[in-house]
Amino acid sequence: MEVKYRQLAGILRKELENYIKQGTYRLPTEKSLCSRFGVSRQTVRQALALLSQEGLIAKKQGSGSYVTGLLPDESGNHVAILLSTDTEYIFPALLGDLETFLSREGYSVSVFITHNRTDVERTILQSLTEMPPRGLIAEPSRSGLPTPNFDLYEKLSAQGTNIVFFHGYYSNLPPCSYVKDDNYAGGFALGQFLMERRHRQIAGIFQLDTIQGQERHLGCTRAMLEAGLPIDEDTVSWFTTEQLVLLEKKQDTRFLSDFIQRNLKSCSAVICHNDEIAYWLIKELSYAGFHVPEDISIISFDNSYLSELSTPALTSLSHEPHEAAAAAVSLLMKKMQGHNAVSMQIPWKLVERNSVSPWTG
């Protein structure tokens, strides 16, 4: 005959899914469970301890027992990840981090690539609504624009999927949880860094259809305005997802050579959208007869492997290793556990290398 505490644990285990669906994350008190099931406090404590060992609940000293978000049926503990790209630039490390942190929390993972296309994103979201995952970590497609897929995100949320946006968010969705870079502050910091090294004519090249590009441009522009420098829009160039794809797949650098011919003028420094753009820009500058940093300084975002492969090595903004993925998973876990999930902007820190020198002109 099954002992009482195991019987009680079985009953509570079946009720956990209803708790989660109803948004009830705190279990009844030990006293109320004793009264409800007509058992001793020792039996209740043993049953809760068993559920805790299974990772289904967590006990907090002096506060009670709480649902962790995991379901007793492991097939229901699934998180979908939408990423905009599967290129070598950041994909392997980022995906590895997300999968590692989610696995530690007891979740299986499915990965989908949108190629930064809202039509591909829509097809993926429609398939997810047929078997809604417990959680979704989504990198927005063309985050600089309103999404036409707001209806599917809202449908998934109504179906019980907890959603965390990564690297951005959509302006036309209701307030949502997100983890993103503090791009405005990063752009401001890069502008200040260059001006401290006596650069006064600073060019920039940013991605037009992402919120990252818009915020990074705004940050460095604000730094220049506060320093009393004039803003010349002719020194700023914008590229699109389509141009980036051609660069990555076919090494089509025409938009970078056009930038050099049309936008650099007498500029002594360039703020690049990221290391990938900086890496290829330095090559194009070399073909055009410019030397970095003697003729022009280059600075960028991400501190990726390309920052060290570049010649010269890139001065670039960086995050702590694994920081962004850990923050996204932590935020998702809080949502699944019914806690207040406050959106986060991850700060940058500058890694100085050899691509910037003081301006002496």
Side-chain angles (χ1 to χ4, degrees):
M1 181 177 179
E2 191 174 26
V3 295
K4 284 187 177 180
Y5 82 88
R6 290 190 179 275
Q7 289 179 325
L8 178 57
I11 295 171
L12 295 176
R13 194 181 291 112
K14 292 177 181 178
E15 293 183 350
L16 290 181
E17 185 169 357
N18 288 331
Y19 284 158
I20 292 172
K21 288 180 179 179
Q22 296 166 5
T24 303
Y25 293 91
R26 184 177 179 179
L27 273 66
T29 64
E30 291 181 0
K31 182 178 180 180
S32 64
L33 289 173
C34 290
S35 176
R36 176 185 170 190
F37 294 104
V39 296
S40 68
R41 179 158 290 194
Q42 178 66 17
T43 297
V44 168
R45 288 178 176 172
Q46 287 178 305
L48 295 177
L50 183 57
L51 296 179
S52 178
Q53 290 171 13
E54 295 171 358
L56 301 177
I57 68 170
K59 301 189 71 175
K60 296 185 179 180
Q61 188 67 33
S63 178
S65 298
Y66 293 82
V67 173
T68 63
L70 287 173
L71 297 173
D73 180 1
E74 291 186 2
S75 64
N77 297 321
H78 186 75
V79 173
I81 299 174
L82 267 65
L83 295 178
S84 66
T85 180
D86 57 358
T87 64
E88 288 293 321
Y89 179 55
I90 62 171
F91 176 77
L94 173 59
L95 179 58
D97 284 346
L98 289 171
E99 289 180 327
T100 295
F101 293 130
L102 286 167
S103 177
R104 288 177 185 172
E105 297 291 342
Y107 290 88
S108 60
V109 173
S110 291
V111 181
F112 304 89
I113 307 300
T114 66
H115 302 290
N116 209 30
R117 293 178 59 100
T118 55
D119 54 348
V120 176
E121 180 189 54
R122 186 165 191 84
T123 299
I124 295 168
L125 293 174
Q126 285 174 328
S127 69
L128 291 177
T129 61
E130 297 173 6
M131 293 187 65
R134 288 277 295 114
L136 171 63
I137 295 177
E139 184 177 19
S141 297
R142 302 183 191 265
S143 58
L145 304 171
T147 178
N149 299 326
F150 65 91
D151 57 325
L152 294 177
Y153 280 111
E154 290 177 344
K155 182 176 181 179
L156 279 167
S157 182
Q159 290 175 321
T161 298
N162 295 276
I163 302 173
V164 168
F165 287 103
F166 189 69
H167 282 160
Y169 54 84
Y170 290 119
S171 61
N172 62 324
L173 277 178
C176 54
S177 299
Y178 63 82
V179 171
K180 60 184 286 293
D181 309 320
D182 192 350
N183 292 301
Y184 176 86
F188 191 93
L190 292 188
Q192 281 192 322
F193 179 82
L194 291 173
M195 288 184 292
E196 288 169 359
R197 282 144 187 81
R198 299 189 294 277
H199 293 278
R200 292 295 179 267
Q201 292 181 290
I202 302 170
I205 181 166
F206 305 97
Q207 188 165 355
L208 178 63
D209 50 13
T210 66
I211 194 171
Q212 294 100 318
Q214 296 173 14
E215 291 179 341
R216 291 171 186 182
H217 168 252
L218 183 60
C220 65
T221 299
R222 189 64 201 173
M224 294 170 67
L225 285 172
E226 290 191 7
L229 299 183
I231 300 302
D232 184 356
E233 278 298 315
D234 289 337
T235 63
V236 177
S237 182
W238 300 89
F239 64 91
T240 64
T241 292
E242 288 75 18
Q243 289 171 311
L244 181 60
V245 169
L246 286 174
L247 174 66
E248 292 171 341
K249 292 186 175 182
K250 298 185 178 181
Q251 298 186 11
D252 185 340
T253 58
R254 283 177 293 176
F255 74 97
L256 294 176
S257 57
D258 287 346
F259 169 67
I260 293 170
Q261 294 172 14
R262 298 177 183 178
N263 303 98
L264 283 190
K265 297 182 178 180
S266 56
C267 293
S268 63
V270 181
I271 297 175
C272 293
H273 180 80
N274 60 20
D275 294 340
E276 187 173 27
I277 296 301
Y279 175 84
W280 288 103
L281 179 62
I282 288 175
K283 288 181 176 292
E284 289 300 306
L285 285 167
S286 176
Y287 300 149
F290 291 90
H291 297 89
V292 177
E294 293 84 359
D295 299 324
I296 191 163
S297 292
I298 304 294
I299 199 167
S300 64
F301 293 76
D302 288 347
N303 191 37
S304 69
Y305 72 96
L306 289 177
S307 62
E308 295 185 345
L309 283 180
S310 178
T311 304
L314 285 167
T315 294
S316 183
L317 288 178
S318 177
H319 296 310
E320 294 294 331
H322 321 298
E323 183 177 17
V329 172
S330 175
L331 193 61
L332 182 62
M333 293 304 106
K334 287 180 180 179
K335 288 179 70 73
M336 288 183 172
Q337 294 163 10
H339 301 314
N340 187 27
V342 179
S343 295
M344 298 175 59
Q345 294 199 89
I346 301 175
W348 295 98
K349 66 175 183 178
L350 190 67
V351 178
E352 293 188 50
R353 296 191 178 90
N354 303 321
S355 64
V356 175
S357 64
W359 180 240
T360 57

